Amino acid sequence: MPLPDDRILTLPLGSEPSLQRRYMVLDEDLPANVRFGLILEVLDKVAEECALDYVRRIHPQARVVTAAIDNIYVRSAADVRRDLVFRARINFVGRTSLEVGIRVEHAAGPDGSPPAHIASCYFTMVARSTTGAGAESLVLPSFGPDDALAVRRWERAIARREGYRQQLHQAQEPPTREEYALLTSLHAAQDEPGFRGLMAADCVTSGWERTYPEHENVPTKIFGGHLIRQAFEQSAICAEQVAPHRPVIVAVNRINFVQPVRMGDKLQFLSRAVYSGNTSVCVETDIIRVSRDRTQTNLSNSCVFTFANVDEELRPQPVPPIYPTTYAEDARYLAAHRRRAARLAWQASRRR
């Protein structure tokens, strides 16, 4: 079955002052002054609509739900005074799931400002028959890439899936000699006289929210974009505990959708700054849902974000090291350290 054309959405920030103000972080002339959480909300809706265009060709009553968001890397700072363009395309179709790739960019401006690639985003969507208790995954029609660019997108989507499986496998592996030495040095530093380091246990924040009908997407279920917007905003607040200047998002490493949230649920957003590099901070946020009757408590989403500590000109600034103490803190620290190493290796390979 042929693929649908790209789905394109333009967010007219440059021509609608009220919209521009809603998307501002601060009412100041500040680089990267865009509420990235709201961008995530738009991205999730664009991915849903793009996936539905394909799925409903054969399953007219189908729904699609977001299963995961993988590797959103922010390449350029967004300008709240310029329109944002979202270009969505299906990269890969499996048996019951598909990957939607979305490119976010500034188009060339009427004042001569050049186009800018803001971010590339990858959403895994699953086709479902209904939204109730009897919902089933639907088998999707297959397609073959019909040009060189589609083939590359298909191959990269498969590579991302395999990379995530390897990441899960690696998380079960014990520390290497070098990793063990790193953790040992962090623990030994805590025993030094006069130690004043930043403890992982002190880099935890928590927030609560109740869901309402205005947050609904499909019947009785809460819009996933709303959840990840809230998770991002909680994570940014947590990152401020480590970043002495200004934390700016550089990557959404992974968001998993584990269980749907229902109208009336109470949500806890538990954020932890688990790792810091030279100028970056990794924050993990879990969303925990408590049912309205308080008989169920479940993990709804797990999210991993990376922020850079920058000054007013977006120049990277150093951050203090985070010191883990417990086994769980060591595991989170090590997982983030491995993700950072993999990312740096990937960047080096692209420069060759």
Side-chain angles (χ1 to χ4, degrees), residues 18-143:
S18 61
L19 190 65
Q20 182 182 115
R21 186 169 183 82
R22 179 169 185 256
Y23 276 76
M24 285 181 176
V25 179
L26 296 171
D27 189 11
E28 297 178 11
D29 186 11
L30 191 68
N33 189 22
V34 177
R35 289 178 61 187
F36 188 77
L38 285 177
I39 302 300
L40 285 175
E41 200 169 57
V42 174
L43 284 167
D44 193 64
K45 194 63 179 177
V46 171
E48 176 191 350
E49 293 175 351
C50 182
L52 277 175
D53 283 348
Y54 185 79
V55 172
R56 285 186 171 172
R57 294 182 182 191
I58 192 170
H59 302 294
Q61 304 303 316
R63 300 282 189 178
V64 295
V65 295
T66 310
I69 303 172
D70 189 28
N71 291 341
I72 299 179
Y73 292 118
V74 180
R75 301 170 184 268
S76 304
D79 186 343
V80 76
R81 298 164 297 185
R82 295 178 61 184
D83 292 356
L84 277 176
V85 181
F86 301 80
R87 301 181 184 275
R89 183 183 179 90
I90 294 174
N91 293 334
F92 172 84
V93 177
R95 184 173 181 275
T96 62
S97 66
L98 60 163
E99 182 190 273
V100 177
I102 306 176
R103 178 185 173 97
V104 186
E105 61 190 16
H106 286 313
D111 59 352
S113 52
H117 181 186
I118 305 302
S120 296
C121 320
Y122 306 99
F123 285 67
T124 298
M125 316 297 292
V126 176
R128 305 286 282 173
S129 58
T130 68
T131 59
E136 297 178 347
S137 296
L138 298 173
V139 177
L140 298 176
S142 62
F143 80 95

Side-chain angles (χ1 to χ4, degrees), residues 13-333:
L13 298 174
S15 58
E16 295 191 14
S18 61
L19 190 65
Q20 182 182 115
R21 186 169 183 82
R22 179 169 185 256
Y23 276 76
M24 285 181 176
V25 179
L26 296 171
D27 189 11
E28 297 178 11
D29 186 11
L30 191 68
N33 189 22
V34 177
R35 289 178 61 187
F36 188 77
L38 285 177
I39 302 300
L40 285 175
E41 200 169 57
V42 174
L43 284 167
D44 193 64
K45 194 63 179 177
V46 171
E48 176 191 350
E49 293 175 351
C50 182
L52 277 175
D53 283 348
Y54 185 79
V55 172
R56 285 186 171 172
R57 294 182 182 191
I58 192 170
H59 302 294
Q61 304 303 316
R63 300 282 189 178
V64 295
V65 295
T66 310
I69 303 172
D70 189 28
N71 291 341
I72 299 179
Y73 292 118
V74 180
R75 301 170 184 268
S76 304
D79 186 343
V80 76
R81 298 164 297 185
R82 295 178 61 184
D83 292 356
L84 277 176
V85 181
F86 301 80
R87 301 181 184 275
R89 183 183 179 90
I90 294 174
N91 293 334
F92 172 84
V93 177
R95 184 173 181 275
T96 62
S97 66
L98 60 163
E99 182 190 273
V100 177
I102 306 176
R103 178 185 173 97
V104 186
E105 61 190 16
H106 286 313
D111 59 352
S113 52
H117 181 186
I118 305 302
S120 296
C121 320
Y122 306 99
F123 285 67
T124 298
M125 316 297 292
V126 176
R128 305 286 282 173
S129 58
T130 68
T131 59
E136 297 178 347
S137 296
L138 298 173
V139 177
L140 298 176
S142 62
F143 80 95
D146 55 4
D147 58 46
L149 179 58
V151 169
R152 286 199 300 274
R153 286 170 170 160
W154 181 283
E155 291 173 345
R156 290 171 182 170
I158 293 174
R160 276 187 290 274
R161 291 185 170 213
E162 180 58 30
Y164 181 62
R165 293 190 192 99
Q166 291 178 2
Q167 187 182 113
L168 292 177
H169 175 74
Q170 186 185 38
Q172 306 302 317
E173 294 293 313
T176 65
R177 184 182 297 273
E178 292 77 12
E179 291 169 344
Y180 180 79
L182 172 61
L183 292 174
T184 299
S185 67
L186 292 169
H187 283 268
Q190 298 170 46
D191 294 329
E192 294 293 326
F195 172 76
R196 294 290 186 273
L198 185 60
M199 305 299 295
D202 296 328
C203 302
V204 180
T205 60
S206 179
W208 288 86
E209 180 193 42
R210 191 179 298 281
T211 58
Y212 296 99
E214 67 184 78
H215 304 139
E216 182 185 49
N217 186 27
V218 299
T220 75
K221 302 291 174 48
I222 300 305
F223 177 37
H226 172 76
L227 298 176
I228 59 179
R229 172 170 70 86
Q230 294 290 84
F232 168 79
E233 292 174 354
Q234 295 286 337
S235 298
I237 291 170
C238 183
E240 291 176 1
Q241 292 190 318
V242 183
H245 293 78
R246 176 188 172 207
V248 171
I249 187 70
V250 293
V252 179
N253 303 95
R254 183 78 179 184
I255 297 178
N256 289 319
F257 288 73
V258 181
Q259 189 175 94
V261 174
R262 292 172 171 79
M263 201 184 307
D265 285 352
K266 185 168 61 176
L267 302 177
Q268 182 185 22
F269 297 84
L270 184 60
S271 299
R272 303 179 181 91
V274 299
Y275 176 85
S276 59
N278 296 327
T279 60
S280 63
V281 182
C282 177
V283 178
E284 297 182 3
T285 294
D286 289 339
I287 306 178
I288 301 161
R289 62 170 290 266
V290 181
S291 62
R292 185 175 58 180
D293 60 7
R294 290 175 284 183
T295 62
Q296 298 180 44
T297 300
N298 308 99
L299 177 68
S300 166
N301 297 75
S302 60
C303 316
V304 183
F305 301 96
T306 299
F307 297 85
N309 180 44
V310 299
D311 63 15
E312 292 183 356
E313 301 301 323
L314 297 186
R315 292 175 297 220
Q317 300 297 316
V319 295
I322 292 175
Y323 290 88
T325 300
T326 68
Y327 177 82
E329 290 169 357
D330 282 351
R332 296 187 190 103
Y333 185 98

